Amino acid sequence: MTQLSDLAWTAVPDRPLVLVPLGSFEQHGPHLPLDTDTRIADAVAHEVARRLGERVLVAPPVVYAASGEHQSFAGTVSIGNEALRFLLVELVRSLTLWSGPVVFVNGHGGNVRCLSGAVSQLVEEEGRDVAWIPCFPAGGDAHAGHTETSLMLHLAPERVDMTRAATGNTAPLRELMPAMLAGGVGAVSPSGVLGDPTTATAEEGARLFDELVGHVLGLVGGALRDGAPS
Ligand SMILES: [Zn+2]
């Protein structure tokens, strides 16, 4: 058993490594559900924990995060950078009273600035044993495109509506960034898609999922061997 929420307090192992999936609740185009980032991060964390055995637990995911750039789309719920940073700091302060290392598995690019700031504060100012790992494939398209749609076709095909999948804005993120910073994702893509979901397949999703699991497994496995995450 690897899920913290399934355990009685007496069953919690001594100083386990705890993975905390960090997602988002934000639009992912007309064909993917709002909890796409959370589902992907949660699935990767569970598979990593399953492979590493009973010294690793998965905490319930952090669902609400920093998604201000998607706020013009209905359904999106964001608590913003300031609240997220406070949440992450308090969460680790509480967890580490009984846990070993804490590792955030982050599925949403918009959380990175806040997450890395919170982790730096916890490590450098408070000496906590905490790290974070990105959980999106290298070289993938930005948002609700080929990459995320493929992953969701592998993980939860019943939640993907490919009849509504349409190519969004495929320009590189760095080109879109000035307009996005000023007006959010809606300013550059009316559908909310940054990339091309029409080429997505479950087979590609399975391959990408293995890649993500391998990446996180390497870093978390190393942390377990060393006694601390790097
Ligand atoms: Zn996403």
Side-chain angles (χ1 to χ4, degrees), residues 169-195:
N169 192 331
T170 56
L173 210 47
R174 66 178 182 284
E175 271 177 36
L176 301 176
M177 215 31 116
M180 266 174 56
L181 285 173
V185 173
V188 296
S189 173
S191 71
V193 175
L194 302 175

Side-chain angles (χ1 to χ4, degrees), residues 119-161:
V119 167
S120 296
Q121 177 187 334
L122 287 158
V123 172
E124 287 159 27
E125 294 172 27
E126 303 185 18
R128 312 260 175 195
D129 201 351
V130 55
W132 71 277
I133 299 175
C135 181
F136 20 83
D141 51 7
H143 187 75
H146 177 81
T147 303
E148 286 186 318
T149 306
S150 294
L151 281 163
M152 285 297 283
L153 283 172
H154 170 59
L155 294 172
E158 73 286 357
R159 303 285 305 282
V160 183
D161 184 356

